[in-house]
Amino acid sequence: MKGLRRAASPLILGLGLFFLYAPIVLLVLWSFNDSRLVTVWGGFSLRWYAALFSNAALMEAAWVSIRIALVSAALATILGTMAALTLTRHGRFAGRTAFTGMAYAPLVMPEVMIGLALLLLFVGLGVDRGFWTVVIAHTTVTMCFATVIIRARLADFDVSLEEAAMDLGATPVRAFFLVTAPLIAPSMAAAFLLAFTMSMDDLVIASFVSGPGATTLPMRIYSQVRLGVTPEINAASSVLIALVVVGLGCAFLLMRRRKPASA
Amino acid sequence: MSDRLRGDGVAGAARPAKERIGKPGRAGLGAVRREFAPWADPAATPLIRFEGVCKRFGDAVAIDNLDLSVYRGEFFCLLGPSGCGKSTLMRMLAGFEQPDAGRILLDGVDQAEIPPHNRPVNMMFQSYALFPHMSVAQNIAFGLRQLSLSKADIQARVDEMLTMVQLTPLARRKPHQLSGGQRQRVALARALARRPQVLLLDEPLGALDKKLREETQFELMDIQEELGATFLVVTHDQEEAMVMADRIAVMNQGRIAQLDTPGRIYEEPVSRYVADFIGDVNLLEGAAVGREDGLWRIACPATGGELLVASDAVLTVGQQVVVAVRPEKIRIDRARPTDVANVIPGEVWDIGYLGDWTTYVLKLAGGETLKTSRANVSRHVVEPVTWEETVFASFAPDAAVMLTG
């Protein structure tokens, strides 16, 4: 029985990994396919990557996505840091529970709902949808992840370091920039990368709140797929996957990096 | 160093005669480390004043209507168990906590509206709170950088501080590359670099091992004397407070239980709490019987007889009191001594050999125990006192302190 379990567990693990990653591996493999037919292997080729980079519409969408991701990740990191500081440093204040709930709500809320809610908000306010509405939407969602990451770091941050800085004549703002910020920088960078990758691969929310001229890469890919999967899309997806993997990998390494031995 | 340890009871000069019972001349209590007693001078103005300060955390009272004066150049210790409010008091002076009521004056200036970064005090944190991303020199320079000083001035002051704490060769190290004792010195240098009017030290030696702690105590005293700065130390370690302080405030539940020189705190505690908190003590309960020749006769059931205690206390006959006697003030003999007023027979119950001292716990007739100790002045003892032996503990009337509180 025990032996069986021991033999079965790698098998189960293998099956799990297979279901999770085989489609992605296949997609990457097919992106190197020389054939125009997506399901027939015609030899190794980089022609779809070449075609991808000369596809103006896709490249434009990629550029839009990158800009949105950069801006929203920066905003999410700043707001996340502020939220995390408020939650860890200011003890109890009126509305703290409500604030915690609101800051963390997007973690569990279905994306469709967030997208729809934001769409209704923007329509209600009469805001023209486009680049900035997507930025706002992505900031809203990714901010809570940034808050979680930075708050975890602040929770085991020795408050007396900040007090020492103030005791030595630094104003609270200077104390933050001279002492706190350098020490929580790795978690802020991790938060930024996570927010960046989440923004890069979001389709649902962007489709709700985007407008003319602000088509993101996932939106462009999705609309092309509806006309049929081309190897070019495989290549675009592979590039996106690579970007996300690198981003998340860095975020993981930054979060795992041991905090400097505090004195 | 030896100058400070010498002393022949100068503090006794300002004290009333009642404390020198039967002893002519300049009798002082305990050792006196230096001639310095501004608190005894009614004309002296204190540097730090707490006036009716209260602080509450939720329902818990941390500081209860506390008044306290600390004088310029004083080495002052706040001593008490954890949770007695001593750290809160210090944090209020640094500006990290605000009093709920009362005022804190520093050099005559009310500190209420002054944020921590503008107060002329600096603090050495218990955890040292060294900035881990900065080198030793950068840590020391941090406070100076917040002042409008030239680069050359900052460098000069940092060098001076490094020399003072003997860390010049380690200036470029990061805190995690230092030993505990070295970190402690960086923290001290960093806090002193701005030349604060008052240096606050929160358990400054708490993280050091015993040997290093003893050395550092004297180093701190030397530095304090050299700079002429006012040091306010928070500690739970009575030995630390006794060695370093000019005056000690023993705190209990947000109040000052006793405020006095180390010698008087030890030799003349005002309450059971203080007597018990500082050092070892035997507390013998009894009732006043009568007075003769400036001595009170106390009926003490534990010793099965009466004790004579030198005291000016005003008691009514029959009043319940506690007689406090320190173990080292009690002598033990095999034969009943005839030259001492108070003799208590007992059986040796426990012996604790500490090397320099040996502690004997005697079981008295009434079942209570009495702790005595004696210095091991010679290496060889012929027929040492041993377990279950009947001995006679004795002490003079002025070796005991009468406590009514």
Side-chain angles (χ1 to χ4, degrees):
Chain A
M1 189 61 201
K2 207 169 183 185
L4 185 68
R5 204 183 297 167
R6 195 172 294 162
S9 58
L11 185 72
I12 293 165
L13 178 69
L15 274 173
L17 287 175
F18 179 79
F19 277 106
L20 277 173
Y21 292 109
I24 296 174
V25 172
L26 271 181
L27 183 140
V28 175
L29 283 179
W30 285 120
S31 74
F32 296 108
N33 187 3
D34 194 31
S35 166
R36 173 161 284 281
L37 298 162
V38 173
T39 47
V40 180
W41 185 252
F44 180 83
S45 161
L46 290 174
R47 63 183 278 210
W48 301 115
Y49 286 89
L52 169 69
F53 287 107
S54 54
N55 182 333
L58 268 182
M59 289 320 288
E60 200 201 313
W63 179 230
V64 167
S65 268
I66 289 171
R67 272 157 54 218
I68 288 174
L70 283 175
V71 176
S72 69
L75 287 173
T77 308
I78 293 168
L79 291 172
T81 306
M82 289 163 74
L85 278 172
T86 311
L87 289 172
T88 47
R89 289 287 183 274
H90 291 273
R92 310 197 143 270
F93 56 89
R96 185 180 195 274
T97 315
F99 181 69
T100 314
M102 283 195 297
Y104 287 174
L107 275 175
V108 290
M109 242 187 321
E111 286 187 322
V112 176
M113 271 181 57
I114 299 174
L116 187 59
L118 284 165
L119 174 64
L120 293 175
L121 175 77
F122 291 137
V123 170
L125 291 175
V127 180
D128 283 339
R129 278 167 290 138
F131 180 84
W132 286 105
T133 49
V134 184
V135 167
I136 291 169
H138 282 178
T139 306
T140 310
V141 177
T142 54
M143 185 199 124
C144 69
F145 291 91
T147 309
V148 171
I149 292 172
I150 296 167
R151 190 184 178 188
R153 177 68 184 90
L154 280 174
D156 59 16
F157 185 92
D158 183 3
V159 186
S160 62
L161 289 175
E162 279 170 23
E163 288 181 343
M166 286 189 262
D167 185 67
L168 291 165
T171 60
V173 174
R174 280 183 70 83
F176 174 79
F177 283 107
L178 292 176
V179 174
T180 316
L183 293 176
I184 63 166
S187 66
M188 286 167 73
F192 179 88
L193 286 168
L194 189 65
F196 182 86
T197 52
M198 287 180 70
S199 168
M200 276 304 286
D201 73 5
D202 166 68
L203 169 66
V204 179
I205 296 170
S207 352
F208 276 97
V209 297
S210 182
T215 307
T216 63
L217 187 58
M219 285 167 73
R220 173 66 64 191
I221 292 171
Y222 185 68
S223 67
Q224 286 207 2
V225 167
R226 275 189 301 188
L227 305 175
V229 180
T230 64
E232 202 175 337
I233 292 300
N234 286 346
S237 307
S238 300
V239 171
L240 200 56
I241 289 166
L243 205 61
V244 169
V245 166
V246 169
L248 286 179
C250 291
F252 174 74
L253 287 177
L254 283 167
M255 279 188 281
R256 204 189 51 167
R257 205 179 83 167
R258 293 187 61 82
K259 60 172 179 170
S262 61
Chain B
M1 193 89 46
S2 59
D3 280 348
R4 108 165 48 245
L5 292 173
R6 244 183 275 133
D8 60 347
V10 191
R15 297 171 50 240
K18 65 151 186 166
E19 284 146 8
R20 305 201 294 266
I21 295 146
K23 283 186 194 158
R26 304 203 310 166
L29 291 179
V32 174
R33 81 169 170 99
R34 56 173 180 166
E35 271 187 71
F36 177 81
W39 51 87
D41 175 8
T45 47
L47 178 64
I48 306 165
R49 275 192 66 76
F50 288 83
E51 289 179 352
V53 172
C54 295
K55 178 72 186 174
R56 232 170 250 104
F57 292 110
D59 291 335
V61 177
I63 301 292
D64 189 2
N65 192 23
L66 183 135
D67 293 299
L68 177 65
S69 296
V70 178
Y71 293 84
R72 198 179 294 277
E74 192 171 359
F75 201 125
F76 194 94
C77 266
L78 290 166
L79 176 64
S82 54
C84 72
K86 56 190 196 298
S87 292
T88 307
L89 207 59
M90 172 175 275
R91 290 176 59 81
M92 284 198 285
L93 189 56
F96 299 129
E97 308 283 354
Q98 292 299 321
D100 294 329
R103 296 199 302 167
I104 299 172
L105 300 165
L106 211 153
D107 211 5
V109 181
D110 190 342
Q111 299 291 303
E113 299 300 321
I114 303 177
H117 60 270
N118 286 337
R119 294 195 183 194
V121 302
N122 283 130
M123 184 155 166
M124 192 182 127
F125 288 79
Q126 181 172 12
S127 62
Y128 306 146
L130 298 180
F131 306 131
H133 57 303
M134 296 183 196
S135 70
V136 167
Q138 286 169 328
N139 263 285
I140 296 173
F142 186 92
L144 302 169
R145 293 232 170 90
Q146 314 307 318
L147 304 167
S148 41
L149 290 176
S150 73
K151 270 208 163 101
D153 285 348
I154 291 177
Q155 191 54 50
R157 190 86 69 88
V158 169
D159 289 341
E160 182 192 327
M161 286 297 144
L162 284 169
T163 313
M164 182 187 80
V165 294
Q166 298 156 37
L167 285 176
T168 311
L170 306 180
R172 287 162 182 278
R173 293 255 186 108
K174 290 281 180 69
H176 67 91
Q177 296 168 310
L178 301 177
S179 71
Q182 290 164 342
R183 285 183 205 177
Q184 192 259 6
R185 281 153 39 164
V186 178
L188 180 67
R190 186 179 71 176
L192 282 171
R194 282 165 64 99
R195 302 211 175 113
Q197 289 206 41
V198 181
L199 181 70
L200 309 174
L201 301 105
D202 190 1
E203 303 277 3
L205 311 175
L208 305 181
D209 58 55
K210 193 169 156 50
K211 262 246 155 59
L212 197 53
R213 197 155 62 213
E214 281 173 7
E215 285 171 31
T216 314
Q217 281 172 0
F218 293 117
E219 255 175 49
L220 273 180
M221 288 158 70
D222 284 340
I223 288 171
Q224 190 261 346
E225 207 154 314
E226 209 173 293
L227 300 178
T230 309
F231 277 30
L232 183 66
V233 177
V234 155
T235 180
H236 69 277
D237 184 317
Q238 43 144 326
E239 211 173 288
E240 211 171 290
M242 299 282 284
V243 172
M244 298 193 294
D246 289 311
R247 282 193 304 163
I248 297 174
V250 181
M251 293 192 61
N252 183 26
Q253 298 182 340
R255 292 165 174 273
I256 293 179
Q258 189 172 358
L259 168 60
D260 223 321
T261 59
R264 286 173 65 172
I265 295 252
Y266 186 80
E267 302 294 0
E268 218 162 57
V270 295
S271 66
R272 209 182 157 125
Y273 174 81
V274 175
D276 207 19
F277 186 75
I278 309 283
D280 253 341
V281 73
N282 294 294
L283 297 169
L284 304 165
E285 294 185 18
V289 173
R291 187 162 175 80
E292 52 192 61
D293 300 336
L295 305 177
W296 273 102
R297 190 170 283 283
I298 307 294
C300 180
T303 64
E306 289 185 346
L307 298 175
L308 278 175
V309 180
S311 168
D312 285 348
V314 180
L315 305 175
T316 53
V317 171
Q319 187 177 341
Q320 292 295 310
V321 296
V322 174
V323 177
V325 205
R326 302 278 183 197
E328 76 278 5
K329 306 235 171 5
I330 303 177
R331 211 174 83 192
I332 58 172
D333 299 282
R334 282 207 172 85
R336 177 181 273 275
T338 52
D339 56 336
V340 188
N342 301 307
V343 179
I344 308 164
E347 188 187 332
V348 177
W349 196 254
D350 269 320
I351 301 177
Y353 175 71
L354 303 173
D356 47 355
W357 289 83
T358 302
T359 308
Y360 300 90
V361 178
L362 309 185
K363 197 118 184 160
L364 306 183
E368 276 86 352
T369 56
L370 188 75
K371 204 169 180 182
T372 78
S373 60
R374 102 175 153 192
N376 296 323
V377 290
S378 63
R379 291 170 58 219
H380 305 284
V381 182
V382 189
E383 279 194 77
V385 171
T386 184
W387 282 273
E388 294 178 11
E389 208 177 315
T390 298
V391 293
F392 294 92
S394 60
F395 60 91
D398 67 349
V401 176
M402 180 106 73
L403 301 173
T404 50

